[in-house]
Amino acid sequence: MFMNADTRLQAARAEMAATYDLAPSAAAMRDTTAIYARVARVIPAADWMIHAPYVRAINALKGIKDATILAHNYMTPEIFHGVADVAGDSLQLAIEATKVPQQVIIQCGVHFMAETSKILNPSKTVLIPDSRAGCSLAASITADDIATLRAQYPGAPVVSYVNTTAAVKAASDICCTSSNAVQIVDAMDGDTVIMTPDGYLARNVAKQTKKRIVWWEGACIVHERFTPEEIRAYREADPTIAIIAHPECPPNVVAEADFTGSTAAMINWVRKNKPAKVVMVTECSMSDNVAAELPEVEFVRPCNICPHMKRITLENILWALHSGTEEVTVAEHLIAPARAAVEKMIALSAKG
Ligand code: 13P
Ligand code: SF4
């Protein structure tokens, strides 16, 4: 029988309610006391009442299903602190995906991240709680576009951000992430390097390398919204504030920052430096995740949300574990070349 998305959601909810104890309760609060202690600064108790039964059910089900949860730093705190087995930036998640012993990987992040896990683990089951979780960067370029760029710049190596589809990775020479882009570009042969699909990341890298960089004009819908005027206003309001930015931001925003790095590098910078006040110029949830553990740091929070990342919820994580959906597949012919591009990146990154 055909079921539309609404009917499927209702059916999934009914099945979960019949199987797990998902009503807010004192028992669920008690069973998750230790976890709540980690997020109490950023999640009110009334909200945790709703989350607690899901957190409890998910953590109990992981072992039964031989599953592990890999979560990006942009997940909301109840996911990041409540159910993730590994949390990290894109590079860390790709590396961890090659190490986890479990047969099932639940990717709490966007679709290209789940594809990367599948590419690195073709024999494992990779599930994404909502397969509509896309990415404006991944959507901005196709494998045909890579062929066009190669024709325009013959012989130039193609370095593609991991925020790309498996088909684009397969058409590229090597991948990079925000944490290793300069290192990867510097390691390429020749004077000219093609970087796709993030035009801002490419411009930011171009300032740190002797290579001539040519780029694709993709952009992250979260980071492209920040402006230098907005960042300067934070500094004017409090000259002692620390400003740290992600390299997907426009270069004139990065120029205003005290530090620029991947999401993991930004978190580590705050953990290490413990500024009295900080603004993390990136996706909104990350400040909540770090604020939960650092009461001594005041976070100024411009809230730019990634609508794709926010598609992942405790409810659909539980459903993914329960039902074994939605499974991420990668076409057989793409796996080997896409994997080569990702593995080359991991190997180069490891050289430091
Ligand atoms: P990193 O976590 O690798 O810095 O990437 C940020 C991002 O936008 C992922 O979608
Ligand atoms: Fe893509 Fe930007 Fe969302 Fe990351 S934050 S998934 S780069 S749209």
Side-chain angles (χ1 to χ4, degrees):
M1 189 185 69
F2 172 77
M3 285 206 276
N4 66 29
D6 283 347
T7 321
R8 273 201 307 274
L9 180 63
Q10 294 311 326
R13 282 187 174 150
E15 191 171 323
M16 286 192 285
T19 315
Y20 309 102
D21 184 2
L22 297 177
S25 67
M29 291 294 271
R30 211 172 39 245
D31 292 345
T32 57
T33 306
I35 298 174
Y36 185 53
R38 298 207 290 266
V39 289
R41 278 184 211 96
V42 293
I43 303 182
D47 290 352
W48 190 256
M49 281 286 277
I50 313 284
H51 296 320
Y54 286 88
V55 168
R56 183 177 60 177
I58 289 166
N59 286 331
L61 204 51
K62 279 192 288 195
I64 296 165
K65 300 281 187 177
D66 191 24
T68 189
I69 294 183
L70 304 187
H72 188 260
N73 290 326
Y74 292 162
M75 290 294 101
T76 48
E78 67 276 11
I79 296 173
F80 183 93
H81 290 287
V83 299
D85 295 297
V86 175
D89 68 8
S90 309
L91 179 64
Q92 290 170 325
L93 294 180
I95 291 171
E96 286 303 320
T98 65
K99 294 184 183 162
V100 291
Q102 290 82 1
Q103 180 52 33
V104 179
I105 293 173
I106 311 274
Q107 195 84 35
C108 292
V110 293
H111 196 265
F112 76 79
M113 295 176 175
E115 270 193 341
T116 304
S117 290
K118 182 67 183 176
I119 288 162
L120 293 169
N121 296 280
S123 65
K124 292 199 177 182
T125 302
V126 177
L127 305 175
I128 185 160
D130 188 332
S131 64
R132 296 168 301 172
C135 169
S136 61
L137 285 167
S140 74
I141 190 160
T142 65
D144 285 347
D145 296 326
I146 300 283
T148 304
L149 286 166
R150 283 196 193 276
Q152 279 170 354
Y153 303 98
V158 176
V159 176
S160 285
Y161 204 26
V162 281
N163 299 37
T164 43
T165 61
V168 168
K169 287 184 176 76
S172 305
D173 293 293
I174 189 166
C175 287
C176 73
T177 72
S178 57
S179 68
N180 57 25
V182 177
Q183 184 192 0
I184 302 287
V185 164
D186 279 342
M188 294 297 102
D189 290 333
D191 296 336
T192 302
V193 175
I194 300 168
M195 283 193 79
T196 81
D198 189 337
Y200 290 138
L201 178 73
R203 286 175 177 86
N204 288 322
V205 169
K207 293 190 169 166
Q208 298 172 67
T209 178
K210 291 195 171 69
K211 304 272 183 191
R212 171 184 171 232
I213 308 288
V214 291
W215 57 76
W216 187 253
E217 285 293 4
C220 163
I221 51 170
V222 174
H223 295 94
E224 71 176 349
R225 283 168 51 201
F226 292 106
T227 64
E229 292 76 20
E230 179 188 358
I231 307 304
R232 276 198 293 274
Y234 293 122
R235 185 93 69 197
E236 276 155 27
D238 182 351
T240 68
I241 196 168
I243 297 176
I244 59 174
H246 194 275
E248 288 172 13
C249 293
N252 56 6
V253 169
V254 166
E256 300 292 336
D258 299 306
F259 174 78
T260 304
S262 77
T263 56
M266 292 172 78
I267 293 173
N268 288 339
W269 191 94
V270 177
R271 279 189 186 136
K272 189 169 157 242
N273 293 287
K274 294 198 177 57
K277 196 191 268 189
V278 67
V279 55
M280 296 178 109
V281 187
T282 191
E283 210 270 349
C284 194
S285 291
M286 211 168 86
S287 296
D288 294 337
N289 291 334
V290 195
E293 63 174 273
L294 294 175
E296 63 273 53
V297 179
E298 183 189 337
F299 288 79
V300 176
R301 296 177 207 193
C303 206
N304 284 3
I305 282 182
C306 174
H308 303 294
M309 291 280 181
K310 297 292 109 81
R311 283 191 181 277
I312 310 301
T313 64
L314 288 175
E315 186 182 53
N316 57 29
I317 294 170
L318 180 59
W319 180 246
L321 269 168
H322 173 85
S323 65
T325 61
E326 303 178 49
E327 189 165 353
V328 176
T329 54
V330 175
E332 197 61 40
H333 69 285
L334 295 176
I335 289 188
R339 185 183 176 129
V342 177
E343 284 183 340
K344 264 188 244 166
M345 168 191 77
I346 292 175
L348 259 179
S349 294
K351 286 188 183 159

